[in-house]
Amino acid sequence: MAAAMAGGKGKKKKWSKGKSRDQVDNKVLFSKEQYDRFHAEVPKMKLITVSAVVEKLKINGGLARRALRDLEAAGSIRPILISRSQRIYTRNVGEDDEE
């Protein structure tokens, strides 16, 4: 009887806090250097997505979406897939050449 009572007096289980991802501090506005770098590097990328631009330039996702729309309107990049959740662009190598 004493052994059964002593079994419940052990240490309590420590629950883990879960996996925590480090917070990134992406910019919400372009600086002059970032704006120039965006216009220099992004039209040369083969596969252009919002997440690729966010990782490369450390900018906010909303800023990347807006900037990519401006590049598309200017004709520097060409849309491949436009859906509700994902937009995929490519560089504009030949003017209006379909593959």
Side-chain angles (χ1 to χ4, degrees), residues 73-88:
S76 302
I77 60 176
R78 183 172 67 189
I80 294 178
L81 171 82
I82 297 177
S83 71
R84 184 174 63 85
S85 57
Q86 182 76 25
R87 294 173 153 264
I88 300 176

Side-chain angles (χ1 to χ4, degrees), residues 87-98:
R87 294 173 153 264
I88 300 176
Y89 299 96
T90 189
R91 58 188 172 190
N92 208 357
V93 281
E95 295 301 316
D96 298 325
D97 287 343
E98 291 298 318

Side-chain angles (χ1 to χ4, degrees), residues 52-64:
V53 173
V54 166
E55 284 294 316
K56 193 174 187 87
L57 297 175
K58 302 293 183 228
I59 60 174
N60 200 339
L63 180 62

Side-chain angles (χ1 to χ4, degrees), residues 41-80:
E41 292 181 13
V42 172
K44 295 177 187 168
M45 292 167 61
K46 191 174 272 188
L47 175 70
I48 305 166
T49 61
V50 172
S51 55
V53 173
V54 166
E55 284 294 316
K56 193 174 187 87
L57 297 175
K58 302 293 183 228
I59 60 174
N60 200 339
L63 180 62
R65 280 193 297 271
R66 185 73 179 260
L68 287 175
R69 264 188 265 138
D70 290 344
L71 272 185
E72 179 189 355
S76 302
I77 60 176
R78 183 172 67 189
I80 294 178

Side-chain angles (χ1 to χ4, degrees), residues 17-63:
K17 300 287 190 267
K19 292 184 181 177
S20 62
R21 209 170 58 96
D22 54 337
Q23 288 290 326
V24 290
D25 188 24
N26 290 338
K27 306 288 185 248
V28 294
L29 291 174
F30 276 126
S31 64
K32 178 70 173 142
E33 295 81 25
Q34 277 182 322
Y35 187 74
D36 294 339
R37 188 171 163 219
F38 175 80
H39 279 283
E41 292 181 13
V42 172
K44 295 177 187 168
M45 292 167 61
K46 191 174 272 188
L47 175 70
I48 305 166
T49 61
V50 172
S51 55
V53 173
V54 166
E55 284 294 316
K56 193 174 187 87
L57 297 175
K58 302 293 183 228
I59 60 174
N60 200 339
L63 180 62

